[in-house]
Amino acid sequence: MAKTRRALITGITGQDGSYLADLLLDKGYEVVGMVRRSSAENFERIAHLVGRVRLEQADLLDQLSLVNLIRDAEPTEIYNLAAQSFIPTSFSQPLLTGEFTALGVTRMLEAVRLVDPSIRFYQASSSEMFGRVRETPQNEDTPFYPRSPYGVAKLYGHWITINYRESYDLFACSGILFNHESPRRGREFVTRKIAMGVAQIAAGRAETLELGNLDSKRDWGWAPEYVEAMWRMLQQDEPRDYVIGTGEHHSPREFCQIAFERVGLSYEDHVRIDPRYLRPAEVDTLLADASRASRELGWKHRTTYRELVERMVDAELEAVRKGI
């Protein structure tokens, strides 16, 4: 009898976790989501999944809770998406970021090693590990040079995943995902902040939108397509790490331009630069070379940059219309 395909997702309440749960349920998986015990739980992104996923409490800071969770859930695949992922917060809370985003990965891998080494493990790495880029575009062999505590912590998580793969023969791999956005993106991230600001200004509820650096360039893609890449990585015969991105990069200024055009306005009339939103160490440009993923996983992005921006703005306009 075939073993039930059961996935454990850490960070299930986040953007990627919620889209990944959607995908896996459609593929017939049983889905278990790890959630932290918190006084301010936010289940907004998975409200539509109530009754379809099983939520269990555990914490990346607590090794025993992870061991017990994996032992009880008996997953065949684990997707480790949980992290302290907001870069400005990593500068103000670097130690906490390291505990969750770096050492939390080690705790998860150690729990897998102790409970069931046959589990396939996905680690959410980040293009921020490239930081002050050594070459453009960036692929799996590009040297890393992180420029934030978040990037440094992600790099630790990336290398400890490789170390456990090579030391204990685990099926453990990392997806080096470049920026990926959607209406489920956290409100603190610049793309969602712009989309929300445009909707508020279009509705006459605000006049200005305060932002930081408008000229850094990022490779932005559509989040639901990126979680498909995660799944494809764990279906391969051998574990490998993959860069996931579109091969195009754009600036927040371009995002503003398209977003304000969507509502018939000019961003120059409403956007203001606030030095508070500038990073201590900036990452100027990130651009993915995802040719390995295309060749070996059969993965390619499908959503254009303009479509991404317009979908996010439309979602915020609809939220304003509904009074959300």
Side-chain angles (χ1 to χ4, degrees):
M1 183 176 176
K3 191 174 182 180
T4 300
R5 291 202 299 178
R6 183 179 299 117
L8 170 63
I9 303 173
T10 75
I12 193 171
T13 60
Q15 170 188 256
D16 291 6
S18 64
Y19 282 122
L20 180 61
D22 290 336
L23 176 77
L24 295 178
L25 287 169
D26 287 344
K27 292 183 178 297
Y29 280 71
E30 293 180 8
V31 175
V32 180
M34 186 186 95
V35 294
R36 296 175 61 212
R37 176 75 179 94
S38 170
S39 59
E41 295 286 10
N42 181 6
F43 297 121
E44 173 188 352
R45 297 183 187 92
I46 58 170
H48 64 292
L49 297 178
V50 171
R52 300 183 65 202
V53 300
R54 189 172 114 213
L55 300 180
E56 298 288 348
Q57 288 186 359
D59 199 305
L60 289 178
L61 303 186
D62 184 355
Q63 179 76 68
L64 185 57
S65 72
L66 300 177
V67 169
N68 289 335
L69 171 62
I70 293 172
R71 183 177 291 137
D72 294 343
E74 297 184 317
T76 54
E77 298 173 4
I78 293 177
Y79 297 85
N80 186 42
L81 311 184
Q84 192 302 101
S85 59
F86 189 47
I87 292 168
T89 298
S90 80
F91 282 104
S92 61
Q93 299 185 42
L95 297 180
L96 184 67
T97 299
E99 285 288 349
F100 277 115
T101 308
L103 292 178
V105 185
T106 314
R107 296 185 187 103
M108 284 297 302
L109 286 164
E110 188 66 3
V112 169
R113 185 183 73 82
L114 291 171
V115 176
D116 182 359
S118 73
I119 295 170
R120 296 192 167 204
F121 181 87
Y122 172 86
Q123 166 59 17
S125 288
S126 168
S127 60
E128 288 288 330
M129 300 187 308
F130 294 119
R132 188 174 180 179
V133 297
R134 306 288 85 189
E135 63 184 18
T136 297
Q138 296 86 52
N139 62 32
E140 294 83 0
D141 297 318
T142 299
F144 299 114
Y145 194 143
R147 296 270 282 171
S148 66
Y150 169 77
V152 173
K154 276 294 185 184
L155 186 53
Y156 177 98
H158 181 78
W159 278 112
I160 200 67
T161 300
I162 293 172
N163 184 261
Y164 268 68
R165 177 170 75 214
E166 295 178 349
S167 300
Y168 303 113
D169 198 28
L170 298 183
F171 193 108
C173 59
S174 295
I176 306 173
L177 272 56
F178 282 61
N179 292 57
H180 45 289
E181 317 299 317
S182 76
R184 298 184 192 175
R185 190 58 144 144
R187 288 177 171 85
E188 68 273 22
F189 290 88
V190 67
T191 50
R192 181 80 187 279
K193 185 177 178 180
I194 293 170
M196 292 174 65
V198 167
Q200 292 294 313
I201 290 168
R205 297 181 181 180
E207 283 292 327
T208 60
L209 173 60
E210 295 181 344
L211 299 170
N213 184 355
L214 294 184
D215 296 314
S216 59
K217 291 197 170 183
R218 294 292 185 272
D219 187 323
W220 271 313
W222 184 240
E225 296 170 1
Y226 284 50
V227 299
E228 181 186 339
M230 301 176 188
W231 174 78
R232 288 182 180 232
M233 288 180 212
L234 292 197
Q235 312 315 307
Q236 301 304 297
D237 292 333
E238 299 292 334
R240 292 193 79 184
D241 305 322
Y242 294 89
V243 161
I244 303 297
T246 70
E248 300 177 12
H249 58 184
H250 301 271
S251 66
R253 190 180 303 276
E254 291 175 77
F255 197 105
C256 287
Q257 183 177 352
I258 297 171
F260 277 92
E261 283 177 358
R262 189 66 169 169
V263 295
L265 298 172
S266 171
Y267 81 94
E268 294 168 321
D269 296 332
H270 300 280
V271 172
R272 305 288 181 266
I273 304 301
D274 188 328
R276 291 180 303 164
Y277 299 123
L278 299 176
R279 295 186 189 181
E282 184 57 79
V283 174
D284 295 320
T285 183
L286 293 172
L287 179 64
D289 172 5
S291 54
R292 179 192 285 181
S294 174
R295 187 172 61 250
E296 298 182 9
L297 302 179
W299 181 90
K300 289 185 179 179
H301 83 284
R302 300 179 295 277
T303 302
T304 69
Y305 183 68
R306 179 172 289 274
E307 288 171 336
L308 182 159
V309 177
E310 292 180 347
R311 286 177 189 176
M312 291 187 70
V313 172
D314 290 350
E316 297 304 330
L317 291 171
E318 180 67 10
V320 168
R321 188 185 68 79
K322 291 181 177 179
I324 299 174

